[in-house]
Amino acid sequence: MKMNRLIVFLIILFVFNFPEEALPIIGWVKHQAQGPAPRWNHTFIYDSARQRHVFYGGSLNYDARIGMEEMGAFIPDIQSWISINQTNSPGPRTEHSMVYLPDFDVYILYGGDFKTDLWVFQPSTGIWGELITSNQPPARTNASMSY
């Protein structure tokens, strides 16, 4: 039976396993692999081309909201974390939004920390670039994105 997973990276990593038929539900499993420091207010997306779950930024302390620019990924098939090398990053941030666009093989990052900037990351090269747009939405935090 093929198993599907829902991966949640909060303070620690949890994996929710469920069969393809969705019943019976197997349940949550706390992941034990050594990973990045616990964090809040980060993004966590799924890169289907590389079959990995990618995080960016966040804060080590919820109240301080001092952003980080660390980027890494959890690879379920090998139950391991990796660091992702990046060039020209958007910088430290919290409460931002990010999405993977599989048709273009890029990650898009927006805002956070009441910013209005829009960035594109090419996972094949590890390079970030800022996208300059007109008619930007107002600055915001905790916005949601989907594709």
Side-chain angles (χ1 to χ4, degrees):
M1 172 185 334
K2 179 182 175 191
M3 296 299 290
N4 296 305
R5 297 182 184 105
L6 170 66
I7 308 287
V8 178
F9 176 40
L10 302 166
I11 298 171
I12 52 177
L13 182 73
F14 285 92
V15 178
F16 185 82
N17 294 312
F18 56 96
E20 200 167 287
E21 297 81 26
L23 290 174
I25 293 175
I26 307 246
W28 291 99
V29 176
K30 181 179 175 184
H31 192 266
Q32 302 299 326
Q34 181 67 28
R39 65 197 58 225
W40 290 265
N41 299 313
H42 56 285
T43 52
F44 196 53
I45 61 168
Y46 182 64
D47 177 340
S48 57
R50 292 161 191 82
Q51 297 184 5
R52 65 186 187 180
H53 300 266
V54 177
F55 73 88
Y56 183 85
S59 175
L60 295 178
N61 182 323
Y62 182 78
D63 294 328
R65 293 206 169 105
I66 298 170
M68 299 182 299
E69 60 184 313
E70 181 183 16
M71 189 174 198
F74 178 72
I75 304 172
D77 288 347
I78 61 172
Q79 298 287 297
S80 185
W81 289 94
I82 62 167
S83 179
I84 297 176
N85 294 325
Q86 51 181 330
T87 301
N88 192 36
S89 84
R93 63 186 63 213
T94 64
E95 302 175 333
H96 50 290
S97 305
M98 193 164 74
V99 67
Y100 174 59
L101 306 181
D103 295 343
F104 304 97
D105 192 31
V106 296
Y107 308 161
I108 301 292
L109 183 145
Y110 171 72
D113 301 323
F114 294 99
K115 296 177 181 173
T116 60
D117 52 351
L118 185 65
W119 291 79
V120 61
F121 179 76
Q122 297 175 326
S124 61
T125 64
I127 298 173
W128 284 99
E130 186 170 7
L131 299 173
I132 306 301
T133 63
S134 59
N135 301 322
Q136 295 175 322
R140 62 192 69 232
T141 65
N142 296 315
S144 298
M145 292 180 86
S146 66
Y147 176 75

